[in-house]
Amino acid sequence: MRPGNLALNPQNRALWNALLKLKALRRAANFANTSMHVFAPNMFDLYGTTLDDICKHDSSLRRNYADNVFASASINFGPRATAYVHTDHLNLAHGWCAITAIGKFDPRRGGHLILWDLRLIIEFPPGSTILIPSAILRHSNAPLGDEQNERRSAFLQYSAGGLFRWVECEHQSQKSFFAAGRKYSQSGEERWRRGVGVFSQWEELKTRIRPEASAV
């Protein structure tokens, strides 16, 4: 009915908190966070301002990382994690999901990332991170090779579309928003165009990441 932290039993809560404190996981999380900032700065700002707004209105909420714009994270522990073809339909439709591969396996023989709609099969070695619009792009990963000692896990970061709707509905459910006689300022098509508009173009990115000429 409203945004909230996932309800975990005391044992799982302690385990999750311990995982978040791991330096390696923090680095993986913030690498994905920084990657979005570099390659999709407008989307980064949308995620950041939305999460900031939600947390400002409810001080009981706890972010995974204070300096990270993703609202949620999951870990698929494996030990030979394989995702079947799917979309993450509850994520923000035009948003990005960060996927990081973890483990020890031969990426030439298994663990490939498959983007079905783009007809791409991508070698995805341990430690790799990719950001994709997982709500609308069908994706999966290939099983590992025949070596039984190979291991693969996955670390995922994302934000649910309902969080953005909650903010647009002035921090209430859509049902309550409509019951109060309120209306969205944009149609569904206009909202989609606005969402697509936060994607960055290469020419725009080049002006942001081009290093300044060194002084002679």
Side-chain angles (χ1 to χ4, degrees):
M1 299 300 294
R2 61 183 302 109
N5 290 109
L6 186 64
L8 298 174
N9 63 42
Q11 294 81 5
N12 286 343
R13 172 57 62 190
L15 175 60
W16 182 248
N17 289 340
L19 286 168
L20 291 179
K21 293 178 181 178
L22 291 175
K23 182 182 291 187
L25 195 65
R26 175 180 289 275
R27 286 179 172 177
N30 286 337
F31 177 78
N33 185 68
T34 301
S35 296
M36 178 185 272
H37 186 223
V38 172
F39 293 105
N42 299 324
M43 189 176 299
F44 179 90
D45 290 342
L46 173 64
Y47 273 53
T49 55
T50 298
L51 187 56
D52 286 345
D53 199 5
I54 290 173
C55 292
K56 180 180 178 181
H57 279 77
D58 187 348
S59 60
S60 69
L61 296 176
R62 294 292 178 266
R63 302 167 74 139
N64 289 324
Y65 297 107
D67 50 357
N68 191 302
V69 300
F70 290 103
S72 303
S74 300
I75 301 176
N76 188 335
F77 287 101
R80 294 172 65 89
T82 301
Y84 295 100
V85 58
H86 68 287
T87 58
D88 302 308
H89 65 278
L90 294 180
N91 290 354
L92 181 65
H94 61 270
W96 280 6
C97 168
I99 306 171
T100 300
I102 303 171
K104 185 178 181 181
F105 58 91
D106 185 347
R108 298 167 298 178
R109 302 186 61 186
H112 296 68
L113 178 67
I114 306 172
L115 303 179
W116 293 82
D117 301 298
L118 302 182
R119 302 176 64 85
L120 291 174
I121 300 176
I122 305 169
E123 284 190 10
F124 204 59
S128 299
T129 292
I130 191 171
L131 294 107
I132 65 171
S134 66
I136 59 174
L137 199 62
R138 292 181 300 153
H139 57 285
S140 64
N141 70 276
L144 298 183
D146 295 331
E147 297 294 332
Q148 293 303 308
N149 63 340
E150 291 189 332
R151 296 291 182 265
R152 182 185 183 279
S153 301
F155 177 53
L156 315 168
Q157 296 183 94
Y158 49 92
S159 291
L163 297 176
F164 299 85
R165 183 172 60 247
W166 178 266
V167 171
E168 191 165 357
C169 289
E170 301 171 356
H171 297 272
Q172 60 186 317
S173 68
Q174 181 175 261
K175 182 178 180 180
S176 298
F177 182 73
F178 288 155
R182 308 303 302 276
K183 295 181 179 180
Y184 287 127
S185 60
Q186 294 180 314
S187 67
E189 180 178 353
E190 290 171 334
R191 191 180 301 110
W192 172 252
R193 291 183 181 276
R194 181 188 66 185
V196 173
V198 303
F199 280 79
S200 298
Q201 297 182 355
W202 181 239
E203 292 302 320
E204 172 193 349
L205 292 176
K206 285 197 298 184
T207 64
R208 289 176 57 91
I209 64 178
R210 181 185 297 121
E212 297 293 337
S214 300
V216 178

